PDB file of all heavy atoms in Angstrom:
ATOM      1  N   ARG A 128     101.781 126.206  70.547  1.00 84.00           N
ATOM      2  CA  ARG A 128     101.830 124.770  70.288  1.00 84.00           C
ATOM      3  C   ARG A 128     101.455 123.949  71.521  1.00 84.00           C
ATOM      4  O   ARG A 128     101.264 122.748  71.433  1.00 84.00           O
ATOM      5  CB  ARG A 128     103.221 124.367  69.814  1.00 84.00           C
ATOM      6  CG  ARG A 128     103.518 124.780  68.386  1.00 84.00           C
ATOM      7  CD  ARG A 128     104.795 124.141  67.890  1.00 84.00           C
ATOM      8  NE  ARG A 128     105.974 124.641  68.563  1.00 84.00           N
ATOM      9  CZ  ARG A 128     106.774 125.583  68.088  1.00 84.00           C
ATOM     10  NH1 ARG A 128     106.531 126.123  66.923  1.00 84.00           N
ATOM     11  NH2 ARG A 128     107.826 125.985  68.766  1.00 84.00           N
ATOM     12  N   THR A 129     101.373 124.604  72.695  1.00 89.00           N
ATOM     13  CA  THR A 129     101.034 123.915  73.936  1.00 89.00           C
ATOM     14  C   THR A 129      99.582 124.206  74.279  1.00 89.00           C
ATOM     15  O   THR A 129      99.192 125.353  74.432  1.00 89.00           O
ATOM     16  CB  THR A 129     101.937 124.422  75.090  1.00 89.00           C
ATOM     17  OG1 THR A 129     103.295 124.238  74.732  1.00 89.00           O
ATOM     18  CG2 THR A 129     101.630 123.684  76.364  1.00 89.00           C
ATOM     19  N   ASP A 130      98.779 123.156  74.381  1.00 93.00           N
ATOM     20  CA  ASP A 130      97.380 123.334  74.742  1.00 93.00           C
ATOM     21  C   ASP A 130      96.866 122.048  75.373  1.00 93.00           C
ATOM     22  O   ASP A 130      97.366 120.965  75.075  1.00 93.00           O
ATOM     23  CB  ASP A 130      96.540 123.700  73.515  1.00 93.00           C
ATOM     24  CG  ASP A 130      95.254 124.405  73.885  1.00 93.00           C
ATOM     25  OD1 ASP A 130      95.018 124.679  75.079  1.00 93.00           O
ATOM     26  OD2 ASP A 130      94.467 124.689  72.969  1.00 93.00           O
ATOM     27  N   PHE A 131      95.886 122.184  76.237  1.00 96.00           N
ATOM     28  CA  PHE A 131      95.300 121.020  76.883  1.00 96.00           C
ATOM     29  C   PHE A 131      93.856 121.318  77.231  1.00 96.00           C
ATOM     30  O   PHE A 131      93.419 122.463  77.169  1.00 96.00           O
ATOM     31  CB  PHE A 131      96.088 120.628  78.145  1.00 96.00           C
ATOM     32  CG  PHE A 131      95.932 121.592  79.287  1.00 96.00           C
ATOM     33  CD1 PHE A 131      95.064 121.304  80.339  1.00 96.00           C
ATOM     34  CD2 PHE A 131      96.629 122.781  79.331  1.00 96.00           C
ATOM     35  CE1 PHE A 131      94.913 122.186  81.396  1.00 96.00           C
ATOM     36  CE2 PHE A 131      96.484 123.664  80.383  1.00 96.00           C
ATOM     37  CZ  PHE A 131      95.614 123.372  81.425  1.00 96.00           C
ATOM     38  N   ALA A 132      93.127 120.277  77.574  1.00 96.00           N
ATOM     39  CA  ALA A 132      91.721 120.425  77.954  1.00 96.00           C
ATOM     40  C   ALA A 132      91.428 119.513  79.131  1.00 96.00           C
ATOM     41  O   ALA A 132      92.021 118.439  79.258  1.00 96.00           O
ATOM     42  CB  ALA A 132      90.816 120.073  76.776  1.00 96.00           C
ATOM     43  N   ILE A 133      90.513 119.961  79.984  1.00 97.00           N
ATOM     44  CA  ILE A 133      89.984 119.112  81.047  1.00 97.00           C
ATOM     45  C   ILE A 133      88.739 118.465  80.462  1.00 97.00           C
ATOM     46  O   ILE A 133      87.793 119.161  80.106  1.00 97.00           O
ATOM     47  CB  ILE A 133      89.642 119.947  82.301  1.00 97.00           C
ATOM     48  CG1 ILE A 133      90.860 120.740  82.769  1.00 97.00           C
ATOM     49  CG2 ILE A 133      89.114 119.046  83.415  1.00 97.00           C
ATOM     50  CD1 ILE A 133      90.556 121.758  83.861  1.00 97.00           C
ATOM     51  N   ILE A 134      88.752 117.142  80.336  1.00 96.00           N
ATOM     52  CA  ILE A 134      87.699 116.476  79.564  1.00 96.00           C
ATOM     53  C   ILE A 134      86.711 115.690  80.426  1.00 96.00           C
ATOM     54  O   ILE A 134      86.009 114.820  79.915  1.00 96.00           O
ATOM     55  CB  ILE A 134      88.311 115.577  78.466  1.00 96.00           C
ATOM     56  CG1 ILE A 134      89.214 114.505  79.062  1.00 96.00           C
ATOM     57  CG2 ILE A 134      89.058 116.420  77.450  1.00 96.00           C
ATOM     58  CD1 ILE A 134      89.683 113.471  78.057  1.00 96.00           C
ATOM     59  N   ASN A 135      86.612 116.006  81.704  1.00 95.00           N
ATOM     60  CA  ASN A 135      85.636 115.327  82.571  1.00 95.00           C
ATOM     61  C   ASN A 135      84.209 115.695  82.196  1.00 95.00           C
ATOM     62  O   ASN A 135      83.950 116.765  81.648  1.00 95.00           O
ATOM     63  CB  ASN A 135      85.841 115.746  84.029  1.00 95.00           C
ATOM     64  CG  ASN A 135      87.003 115.065  84.668  1.00 95.00           C
ATOM     65  OD1 ASN A 135      88.134 115.341  84.298  1.00 95.00           O
ATOM     66  ND2 ASN A 135      86.731 114.198  85.621  1.00 95.00           N
ATOM     67  N   ASP A 136      83.280 114.817  82.560  1.00 94.00           N
ATOM     68  CA  ASP A 136      81.862 115.132  82.536  1.00 94.00           C
ATOM     69  C   ASP A 136      81.605 115.974  83.787  1.00 94.00           C
ATOM     70  O   ASP A 136      81.776 115.483  84.903  1.00 94.00           O
ATOM     71  CB  ASP A 136      81.051 113.835  82.569  1.00 94.00           C
ATOM     72  CG  ASP A 136      79.559 114.073  82.695  1.00 94.00           C
ATOM     73  OD1 ASP A 136      79.124 115.243  82.704  1.00 94.00           O
ATOM     74  OD2 ASP A 136      78.821 113.071  82.788  1.00 94.00           O
ATOM     75  N   PRO A 137      81.233 117.235  83.641  1.00 95.00           N
ATOM     76  CA  PRO A 137      81.077 118.089  84.823  1.00 95.00           C
ATOM     77  C   PRO A 137      79.954 117.661  85.767  1.00 95.00           C
ATOM     78  O   PRO A 137      79.904 118.087  86.908  1.00 95.00           O
ATOM     79  CB  PRO A 137      80.802 119.475  84.245  1.00 95.00           C
ATOM     80  CG  PRO A 137      80.467 119.283  82.827  1.00 95.00           C
ATOM     81  CD  PRO A 137      80.986 117.951  82.402  1.00 95.00           C
ATOM     82  N   GLN A 138      79.083 116.794  85.315  1.00 95.00           N
ATOM     83  CA  GLN A 138      77.993 116.299  86.164  1.00 95.00           C
ATOM     84  C   GLN A 138      78.375 115.024  86.904  1.00 95.00           C
ATOM     85  O   GLN A 138      77.615 114.559  87.759  1.00 95.00           O
ATOM     86  CB  GLN A 138      76.745 116.013  85.312  1.00 95.00           C
ATOM     87  CG  GLN A 138      76.301 117.159  84.438  1.00 95.00           C
ATOM     88  CD  GLN A 138      75.830 118.370  85.230  1.00 95.00           C
ATOM     89  OE1 GLN A 138      75.225 118.221  86.273  1.00 95.00           O
ATOM     90  NE2 GLN A 138      76.160 119.555  84.747  1.00 95.00           N
ATOM     91  N   ASN A 139      79.525 114.432  86.555  1.00 94.00           N
ATOM     92  CA  ASN A 139      79.872 113.127  87.109  1.00 94.00           C
ATOM     93  C   ASN A 139      81.384 113.034  87.314  1.00 94.00           C
ATOM     94  O   ASN A 139      82.091 112.404  86.531  1.00 94.00           O
ATOM     95  CB  ASN A 139      79.375 112.026  86.165  1.00 94.00           C
ATOM     96  CG  ASN A 139      79.520 110.658  86.760  1.00 94.00           C
ATOM     97  OD1 ASN A 139      79.694 110.493  87.960  1.00 94.00           O
ATOM     98  ND2 ASN A 139      79.477 109.654  85.896  1.00 94.00           N
ATOM     99  N   ILE A 140      81.899 113.632  88.367  1.00 95.00           N
ATOM    100  CA  ILE A 140      83.328 113.596  88.677  1.00 95.00           C
ATOM    101  C   ILE A 140      83.604 112.321  89.480  1.00 95.00           C
ATOM    102  O   ILE A 140      82.994 112.107  90.523  1.00 95.00           O
ATOM    103  CB  ILE A 140      83.754 114.842  89.480  1.00 95.00           C
ATOM    104  CG1 ILE A 140      83.455 116.114  88.694  1.00 95.00           C
ATOM    105  CG2 ILE A 140      85.223 114.763  89.878  1.00 95.00           C
ATOM    106  CD1 ILE A 140      84.182 116.260  87.389  1.00 95.00           C
ATOM    107  N   PRO A 141      84.522 111.474  89.000  1.00 94.00           N
ATOM    108  CA  PRO A 141      84.834 110.253  89.748  1.00 94.00           C
ATOM    109  C   PRO A 141      85.443 110.576  91.115  1.00 94.00           C
ATOM    110  O   PRO A 141      86.353 111.400  91.228  1.00 94.00           O
ATOM    111  CB  PRO A 141      85.858 109.537  88.867  1.00 94.00           C
ATOM    112  CG  PRO A 141      85.696 110.124  87.507  1.00 94.00           C
ATOM    113  CD  PRO A 141      85.238 111.526  87.724  1.00 94.00           C
ATOM    114  N   VAL A 142      84.935 109.931  92.152  1.00 95.00           N
ATOM    115  CA  VAL A 142      85.453 110.108  93.504  1.00 95.00           C
ATOM    116  C   VAL A 142      85.547 108.743  94.164  1.00 95.00           C
ATOM    117  O   VAL A 142      84.701 107.871  93.948  1.00 95.00           O
ATOM    118  CB  VAL A 142      84.582 111.084  94.336  1.00 95.00           C
ATOM    119  CG1 VAL A 142      83.171 110.570  94.484  1.00 95.00           C
ATOM    120  CG2 VAL A 142      85.203 111.371  95.684  1.00 95.00           C
ATOM    121  N   SER A 143      86.606 108.552  94.936  1.00 92.00           N
ATOM    122  CA  SER A 143      86.761 107.298  95.668  1.00 92.00           C
ATOM    123  C   SER A 143      87.214 107.619  97.087  1.00 92.00           C
ATOM    124  O   SER A 143      87.748 108.690  97.355  1.00 92.00           O
ATOM    125  CB  SER A 143      87.777 106.383  94.971  1.00 92.00           C
ATOM    126  OG  SER A 143      89.047 107.004  94.938  1.00 92.00           O
ATOM    127  N   GLY A 144      86.975 106.684  97.979  1.00 88.00           N
ATOM    128  CA  GLY A 144      87.380 106.842  99.370  1.00 88.00           C
ATOM    129  C   GLY A 144      86.282 107.428 100.227  1.00 88.00           C
ATOM    130  O   GLY A 144      85.322 108.014  99.745  1.00 88.00           O
ATOM    131  N   THR A 145      86.440 107.212 101.525  1.00 86.00           N
ATOM    132  CA  THR A 145      85.480 107.744 102.497  1.00 86.00           C
ATOM    133  C   THR A 145      86.190 108.669 103.474  1.00 86.00           C
ATOM    134  O   THR A 145      85.693 108.953 104.542  1.00 86.00           O
ATOM    135  CB  THR A 145      84.807 106.594 103.260  1.00 86.00           C
ATOM    136  OG1 THR A 145      85.814 105.785 103.890  1.00 86.00           O
ATOM    137  CG2 THR A 145      83.965 105.743 102.320  1.00 86.00           C
ATOM    138  N   GLY A 146      87.320 109.132 103.151  1.00 82.00           N
ATOM    139  CA  GLY A 146      88.118 110.035 103.962  1.00 82.00           C
ATOM    140  C   GLY A 146      89.494 109.425 104.177  1.00 82.00           C
ATOM    141  O   GLY A 146      89.593 108.493 104.936  1.00 82.00           O
ATOM    142  N   PRO A 147      90.498 109.874 103.454  1.00 93.00           N
ATOM    143  CA  PRO A 147      90.443 110.987 102.504  1.00 93.00           C
ATOM    144  C   PRO A 147      89.693 110.621 101.210  1.00 93.00           C
ATOM    145  O   PRO A 147      89.528 109.462 100.887  1.00 93.00           O
ATOM    146  CB  PRO A 147      91.911 111.285 102.218  1.00 93.00           C
ATOM    147  CG  PRO A 147      92.630 110.014 102.498  1.00 93.00           C
ATOM    148  CD  PRO A 147      91.855 109.310 103.578  1.00 93.00           C
ATOM    149  N   TYR A 148      89.289 111.664 100.517  1.00 96.00           N
ATOM    150  CA  TYR A 148      88.529 111.526  99.275  1.00 96.00           C
ATOM    151  C   TYR A 148      89.453 111.835  98.101  1.00 96.00           C
ATOM    152  O   TYR A 148      90.201 112.810  98.136  1.00 96.00           O
ATOM    153  CB  TYR A 148      87.342 112.486  99.260  1.00 96.00           C
ATOM    154  CG  TYR A 148      86.360 112.196 100.367  1.00 96.00           C
ATOM    155  CD1 TYR A 148      86.515 112.770 101.630  1.00 96.00           C
ATOM    156  CD2 TYR A 148      85.287 111.339 100.163  1.00 96.00           C
ATOM    157  CE1 TYR A 148      85.625 112.497 102.654  1.00 96.00           C
ATOM    158  CE2 TYR A 148      84.400 111.061 101.182  1.00 96.00           C
ATOM    159  CZ  TYR A 148      84.564 111.637 102.428  1.00 96.00           C
ATOM    160  OH  TYR A 148      83.688 111.352 103.436  1.00 96.00           O
ATOM    161  N   THR A 149      89.383 111.013  97.064  1.00 96.00           N
ATOM    162  CA  THR A 149      90.218 111.217  95.882  1.00 96.00           C
ATOM    163  C   THR A 149      89.317 111.487  94.680  1.00 96.00           C
ATOM    164  O   THR A 149      88.509 110.648  94.298  1.00 96.00           O
ATOM    165  CB  THR A 149      91.107 109.987  95.618  1.00 96.00           C
ATOM    166  OG1 THR A 149      91.925 109.751  96.764  1.00 96.00           O
ATOM    167  CG2 THR A 149      91.996 110.214  94.407  1.00 96.00           C
ATOM    168  N   TYR A 150      89.485 112.674  94.103  1.00 97.00           N
ATOM    169  CA  TYR A 150      88.729 113.094  92.922  1.00 97.00           C
ATOM    170  C   TYR A 150      89.632 112.952  91.707  1.00 97.00           C
ATOM    171  O   TYR A 150      90.806 113.315  91.747  1.00 97.00           O
ATOM    172  CB  TYR A 150      88.266 114.545  93.068  1.00 97.00           C
ATOM    173  CG  TYR A 150      87.320 114.735  94.232  1.00 97.00           C
ATOM    174  CD1 TYR A 150      87.811 115.033  95.508  1.00 97.00           C
ATOM    175  CD2 TYR A 150      85.954 114.594  94.068  1.00 97.00           C
ATOM    176  CE1 TYR A 150      86.955 115.193  96.579  1.00 97.00           C
ATOM    177  CE2 TYR A 150      85.089 114.758  95.133  1.00 97.00           C
ATOM    178  CZ  TYR A 150      85.593 115.044  96.387  1.00 97.00           C
ATOM    179  OH  TYR A 150      84.731 115.194  97.440  1.00 97.00           O
ATOM    180  N   THR A 151      89.088 112.420  90.611  1.00 97.00           N
ATOM    181  CA  THR A 151      89.879 112.178  89.406  1.00 97.00           C
ATOM    182  C   THR A 151      89.446 113.130  88.294  1.00 97.00           C
ATOM    183  O   THR A 151      88.266 113.212  87.957  1.00 97.00           O
ATOM    184  CB  THR A 151      89.720 110.719  88.936  1.00 97.00           C
ATOM    185  OG1 THR A 151      90.128 109.852  89.995  1.00 97.00           O
ATOM    186  CG2 THR A 151      90.575 110.448  87.709  1.00 97.00           C
ATOM    187  N   PHE A 152      90.436 113.831  87.734  1.00 98.00           N
ATOM    188  CA  PHE A 152      90.202 114.753  86.618  1.00 98.00           C
ATOM    189  C   PHE A 152      91.058 114.299  85.442  1.00 98.00           C
ATOM    190  O   PHE A 152      92.229 113.973  85.598  1.00 98.00           O
ATOM    191  CB  PHE A 152      90.552 116.189  87.024  1.00 98.00           C
ATOM    192  CG  PHE A 152      89.684 116.707  88.127  1.00 98.00           C
ATOM    193  CD1 PHE A 152      90.085 116.599  89.459  1.00 98.00           C
ATOM    194  CD2 PHE A 152      88.450 117.264  87.855  1.00 98.00           C
ATOM    195  CE1 PHE A 152      89.277 117.052  90.480  1.00 98.00           C
ATOM    196  CE2 PHE A 152      87.631 117.725  88.871  1.00 98.00           C
ATOM    197  CZ  PHE A 152      88.045 117.616  90.196  1.00 98.00           C
ATOM    198  N   TYR A 153      90.455 114.275  84.254  1.00 98.00           N
ATOM    199  CA  TYR A 153      91.129 113.812  83.046  1.00 98.00           C
ATOM    200  C   TYR A 153      91.617 115.021  82.240  1.00 98.00           C
ATOM    201  O   TYR A 153      90.863 115.941  81.961  1.00 98.00           O
ATOM    202  CB  TYR A 153      90.186 112.957  82.198  1.00 98.00           C
ATOM    203  CG  TYR A 153      89.770 111.695  82.916  1.00 98.00           C
ATOM    204  CD1 TYR A 153      88.554 111.631  83.595  1.00 98.00           C
ATOM    205  CD2 TYR A 153      90.607 110.587  82.937  1.00 98.00           C
ATOM    206  CE1 TYR A 153      88.185 110.478  84.273  1.00 98.00           C
ATOM    207  CE2 TYR A 153      90.234 109.431  83.609  1.00 98.00           C
ATOM    208  CZ  TYR A 153      89.029 109.386  84.284  1.00 98.00           C
ATOM    209  OH  TYR A 153      88.665 108.255  84.960  1.00 98.00           O
ATOM    210  N   ILE A 154      92.885 114.954  81.865  1.00 97.00           N
ATOM    211  CA  ILE A 154      93.523 116.030  81.105  1.00 97.00           C
ATOM    212  C   ILE A 154      93.973 115.455  79.767  1.00 97.00           C
ATOM    213  O   ILE A 154      94.627 114.407  79.721  1.00 97.00           O
ATOM    214  CB  ILE A 154      94.766 116.577  81.861  1.00 97.00           C
ATOM    215  CG1 ILE A 154      94.413 116.975  83.289  1.00 97.00           C
ATOM    216  CG2 ILE A 154      95.409 117.715  81.082  1.00 97.00           C
ATOM    217  CD1 ILE A 154      93.400 118.079  83.403  1.00 97.00           C
ATOM    218  N   LYS A 155      93.621 116.138  78.669  1.00 97.00           N
ATOM    219  CA  LYS A 155      94.052 115.709  77.335  1.00 97.00           C
ATOM    220  C   LYS A 155      94.968 116.769  76.741  1.00 97.00           C
ATOM    221  O   LYS A 155      94.636 117.953  76.729  1.00 97.00           O
ATOM    222  CB  LYS A 155      92.854 115.476  76.410  1.00 97.00           C
ATOM    223  CG  LYS A 155      93.278 114.967  75.049  1.00 97.00           C
ATOM    224  CD  LYS A 155      92.108 114.564  74.187  1.00 97.00           C
ATOM    225  CE  LYS A 155      92.620 113.978  72.883  1.00 97.00           C
ATOM    226  NZ  LYS A 155      91.536 113.480  72.062  1.00 97.00           N
ATOM    227  N   ASN A 156      96.117 116.324  76.265  1.00 96.00           N
ATOM    228  CA  ASN A 156      97.047 117.213  75.569  1.00 96.00           C
ATOM    229  C   ASN A 156      96.529 117.394  74.147  1.00 96.00           C
ATOM    230  O   ASN A 156      96.601 116.477  73.337  1.00 96.00           O
ATOM    231  CB  ASN A 156      98.459 116.617  75.573  1.00 96.00           C
ATOM    232  CG  ASN A 156      99.467 117.508  74.887  1.00 96.00           C
ATOM    233  OD1 ASN A 156      99.128 118.528  74.303  1.00 96.00           O
ATOM    234  ND2 ASN A 156     100.725 117.117  74.950  1.00 96.00           N
ATOM    235  N   ILE A 157      95.973 118.562  73.838  1.00 94.00           N
ATOM    236  CA  ILE A 157      95.453 118.820  72.490  1.00 94.00           C
ATOM    237  C   ILE A 157      96.395 119.708  71.688  1.00 94.00           C
ATOM    238  O   ILE A 157      96.052 120.192  70.618  1.00 94.00           O
ATOM    239  CB  ILE A 157      94.036 119.434  72.547  1.00 94.00           C
ATOM    240  CG1 ILE A 157      94.020 120.721  73.360  1.00 94.00           C
ATOM    241  CG2 ILE A 157      93.045 118.436  73.103  1.00 94.00           C
ATOM    242  CD1 ILE A 157      92.698 121.461  73.335  1.00 94.00           C
ATOM    243  N   GLY A 158      97.617 119.904  72.215  1.00 91.00           N
ATOM    244  CA  GLY A 158      98.615 120.702  71.517  1.00 91.00           C
ATOM    245  C   GLY A 158      99.532 119.837  70.670  1.00 91.00           C
ATOM    246  O   GLY A 158      99.323 118.633  70.506  1.00 91.00           O
TER     247      GLY A 158
END
């Protein structure tokens, strides 16, 4: 009953900052 997916566009990962760098990954609960 527990399931999830990483739903980012693998060609376009959101990143912010110039050091440190923050990468954003989207997780969807599909369970």
Side-chain angles (χ1 to χ4, degrees):
R128 286 190 292 262
T129 303
D130 202 3
F131 71 101
I133 304 171
I134 59 172
N135 283 69
D136 174 3
Q138 307 295 324
N139 188 17
I140 301 298
V142 61
S143 62
T145 57
Y148 298 88
T149 301
Y150 297 89
T151 302
F152 297 94
Y153 296 97
I154 307 298
K155 183 173 184 176
N156 181 354
I157 57 174

